[in-house]
Amino acid sequence: MEGFNQTRVTEFVFLGLTDNWMLEMLFLVTFSTTYVLTLFGNLLIVVTIMFTPRLHTPMYFFLSNLSFIDICHSSVTVPKMLEGFLLERKTISFDACIAQLFFLHLFACAEIFLLTIMAYDRYVAICAPLHYSTVMNMQVCVQLVFALWLGGTIHSLVQTFLTTRLPYCGPNVIDSYFCDVPSVIKLACTDTYLTGALIVSNSGTISLVCFLALVTSYTVILVSLRKQSAEGRRKALSTCTAHFTVVALFFGPCIFIYTRPDTSFSIDKVVAVFYTVVTPLLNPLIYTLRNEEVKSSMKQLRQCQVFFTKSFT
């Protein structure tokens, strides 16, 4: 044990996305802009829903939670990635790496559960509209959100425990721009086959099972739409298309990465950038650009802001 403590890794070194300085500067500008837009877009949705009484419904309650999670999710990895573009040697302490890993899985798992809940919400609204107000009242919605955060915390604690129980005595170079379980456990000074299998049964199974549940829900919804009017079908399809687009963009990369932790491909970094940087930006764009009610509420808030600004100047 004494020898282990003396050789324990105290920091990890990221290889980043590229070692080309020009590309790093290009990525710095691109991803800085993306991150600012992500924060602004998702925060705007949260504020709009919070201050618009007519949006205080289960669907928009879940949507505001999704925007909050996207803010947190992107903030776990993007700031450190942007810092790395400015540094020749990209490092992170062991404790900070574990913290990043923990929060990454917490917010990712919370989003997976939330998207599943949102699919169930749409299923009840479309397939059982007469029972919707009873089944999906605000008390139930709050309980579901509490449950998804509890589930995400338990999942993240398990992933963190599986990672920290392994010995790390070198090497300490991570071929990525952030700490994640598959990339970190590869550096362990022991056989990680069992740990990798547990990761697949945890992250991979959660992603795959929830995705299959989502596909099933939307399939049932599409079948049930045949009984509705043309206008009802149009509104339902518009909402479900937006939801399923977000689902595909988020679940695809998660399933691709976490169902095979012992295998790595050159495209893994591109996939990681997509679900940690791009997807949190696309979510508010997908929902706001397709949702007239949200856009109308944003305009009203803007008009109120202009009115109060003129009143006090």
Side-chain angles (χ1 to χ4, degrees), residues 38-281:
T38 297
L39 297 181
F40 177 77
N42 283 290
L43 185 60
L44 182 60
I45 289 179
V46 172
V47 171
T48 300
I49 294 174
M50 184 182 301
F51 290 99
T52 307
R54 64 191 173 90
L55 296 183
H56 293 175
T57 62
M59 185 179 78
Y60 293 110
F61 173 70
F62 293 136
L63 180 56
S64 64
N65 276 272
L66 178 63
S67 291
F68 173 74
I69 291 174
D70 279 333
I71 291 172
C72 298
H73 190 201
S74 60
S75 297
V76 172
T77 58
V78 178
K80 189 66 179 177
M81 177 182 67
L82 297 178
E83 177 192 66
F85 291 139
L86 300 173
L87 302 175
E88 184 175 349
R89 190 170 186 267
K90 309 165 180 51
T91 63
I92 186 171
S93 69
F94 182 88
D95 292 339
C97 179
I98 297 303
Q100 188 180 57
L101 181 152
F102 172 83
F103 286 109
L104 175 72
H105 280 266
L106 169 62
F107 297 128
C109 189
E111 182 157 345
I112 285 174
F113 288 148
L114 180 58
L115 290 172
T116 307
I117 292 171
M118 291 174 71
Y120 175 70
D121 172 70
R122 291 300 86 201
Y123 164 78
V124 176
I126 295 171
C127 299
L130 297 179
H131 302 285
Y132 182 76
S133 59
T134 303
V135 176
M136 295 301 293
N137 59 67
M138 287 306 297
Q139 182 179 356
V140 172
C141 293
V142 171
Q143 291 172 346
L144 287 172
V145 169
F146 174 79
L148 74 86
W149 282 110
L150 179 62
T153 301
I154 293 172
H155 160 78
S156 192
L157 286 173
V158 170
Q159 296 295 84
T160 304
F161 171 75
L162 291 174
T163 304
T164 55
R165 64 184 288 272
L166 299 173
Y168 297 92
C169 49
N172 67 337
V173 178
I174 297 177
D175 188 14
S176 183
Y177 59 92
F178 66 98
C179 290
D180 198 3
V181 177
S183 57
V184 172
I185 65 171
K186 289 177 182 178
L187 305 179
C189 307
T190 186
D191 179 42
T192 60
Y193 176 79
L194 178 60
T195 302
L198 291 173
I199 291 169
V200 169
S201 65
N202 193 348
S203 293
T205 302
I206 288 175
S207 300
L208 192 57
V209 169
C210 287
F211 181 73
L212 292 176
L214 283 159
V215 171
T216 302
S217 296
Y218 286 119
T219 301
V220 173
I221 289 173
L222 290 174
V223 172
S224 70
L225 287 179
R226 293 181 300 177
K227 304 175 184 178
Q228 302 209 11
S229 63
E231 180 64 16
R233 283 198 300 269
R234 187 190 67 79
K235 290 183 177 179
L237 282 172
S238 177
T239 302
C240 290
T241 300
H243 284 208
F244 195 75
T245 301
V246 172
V247 166
L249 292 174
F250 188 79
F251 275 81
C254 288
I255 293 172
F256 179 77
I257 290 175
Y258 295 113
T259 54
R260 48 163 191 83
D262 291 333
T263 308
S264 59
F265 300 126
S266 57
I267 199 175
D268 283 356
K269 288 184 182 181
V270 177
V271 174
V273 167
F274 197 81
Y275 88 92
T276 60
V277 182
V278 180
T279 302
L281 173 63

Side-chain angles (χ1 to χ4, degrees), residues 16-18 20-37 77-88 90 177 273 277:
L17 293 176
T18 180
N20 184 296
W21 183 82
M22 291 297 294
L23 277 179
E24 285 191 325
M25 292 302 101
L26 176 62
F27 288 154
L28 176 63
V29 174
T30 302
F31 294 141
S32 295
T33 304
T34 301
Y35 182 56
V36 171
L37 291 175
T77 58
V78 178
K80 189 66 179 177
M81 177 182 67
L82 297 178
E83 177 192 66
F85 291 139
L86 300 173
L87 302 175
E88 184 175 349
K90 309 165 180 51
Y177 59 92
V273 167
V277 182

